[in-house]
Amino acid sequence: MNNASLINRLKEVLTEGTWVTGTNLLTVIRQTQWPQANQSVNCLNSIAQLTFHLTYYMKGVNDVLAGQPLTIRDQFSFDIPPLQSEADWVKLVDNFEKNALILIDQVSQLSSKELDKDFADKKYGSIRRNINVLIEHSYYHLGQMVLIKKMIKSNTK
């Protein structure tokens, strides 16, 4: 897969696509009002928790691509501070968008050779592999968000 394909896949799931799922994360997140974003259905994570989780990983990848050490840890990936207001939700959505755009920009600046370099440490595989995993992970949570929104809507009828 060349760099253009990888960038297109990132854009497709994160910010502007509709081809694979009919929507993308940014659209689904922006179309969610903060009370709905905070709402839990059964034992599922809320849309706010999933948004924080995805942003947390994107920020960690962005840091590594900017030459910083890998500091994120799975155990902290759902440690979202409580959303007390619509302003808190808007800030989280804006942070998601900012990190998605930074990620797309950083990946677009990498050559194929750079994409094949180790991501932070050899044990994590290549940068390309990590970007592909981030894309797959994002689709997984996009599907969850779409289902959660449908469940919330059906519970309010």
Side-chain angles (χ1 to χ4, degrees):
M1 174 183 303
N2 65 31
N3 199 12
S5 295
L6 198 59
I7 295 161
N8 288 337
R9 289 184 64 222
L10 275 171
K11 289 178 181 179
E12 180 72 30
V13 70
L14 296 176
T15 59
E16 59 190 66
T18 59
W19 185 66
V20 175
T21 61
T23 191
N24 60 73
L25 279 160
L26 186 58
T27 298
V28 169
I29 292 166
R30 278 193 177 149
Q31 291 174 348
T32 304
Q33 300 302 313
W34 88 271
Q36 186 182 32
N38 249 352
Q39 190 172 344
S40 292
V41 178
N42 300 328
C43 62
L44 302 175
N45 289 308
S46 69
I47 291 171
Q49 288 170 311
L50 294 171
T51 301
F52 176 87
H53 176 74
L54 289 167
T55 304
Y56 180 84
Y57 278 107
M58 282 191 295
K59 172 79 168 85
V61 171
N62 287 340
D63 288 349
V64 170
L65 294 179
Q68 298 173 29
L70 180 64
T71 59
I72 58 173
R73 300 291 177 263
D74 291 345
Q75 68 192 47
F76 303 121
S77 68
F78 282 101
D79 288 355
I80 181 174
L83 297 181
Q84 303 293 334
S85 66
E86 184 174 348
D88 291 343
W89 171 238
V90 168
K91 183 177 175 183
L92 182 59
V93 173
D94 289 347
N95 198 24
F96 173 90
E97 181 178 17
K98 177 184 85 168
N99 277 281
L101 294 174
I102 289 169
L103 179 63
I104 291 164
D105 182 59
Q106 287 191 108
V107 172
S108 72
Q109 294 179 37
L110 296 173
S111 68
S112 285
K113 192 172 188 174
E114 289 169 314
L115 285 168
D116 292 330
K117 290 182 178 180
D118 291 339
F119 179 84
D121 187 303
K122 186 175 182 130
K123 69 182 177 184
Y124 298 118
S126 70
I127 294 170
R128 183 186 314 274
R129 177 179 180 264
N130 278 268
I131 299 302
N132 276 309
V133 168
L134 187 141
I135 291 166
E136 293 164 10
H137 183 231
S138 297
Y139 273 115
Y140 171 75
H141 289 308
L142 172 58
Q144 286 181 315
M145 287 182 188
V146 169
L147 290 172
I148 290 166
K149 284 184 81 161
K150 286 180 180 185
M151 292 168 79
I152 291 169
K153 188 175 182 179
S154 72
N155 287 342
T156 59
K157 288 184 179 181

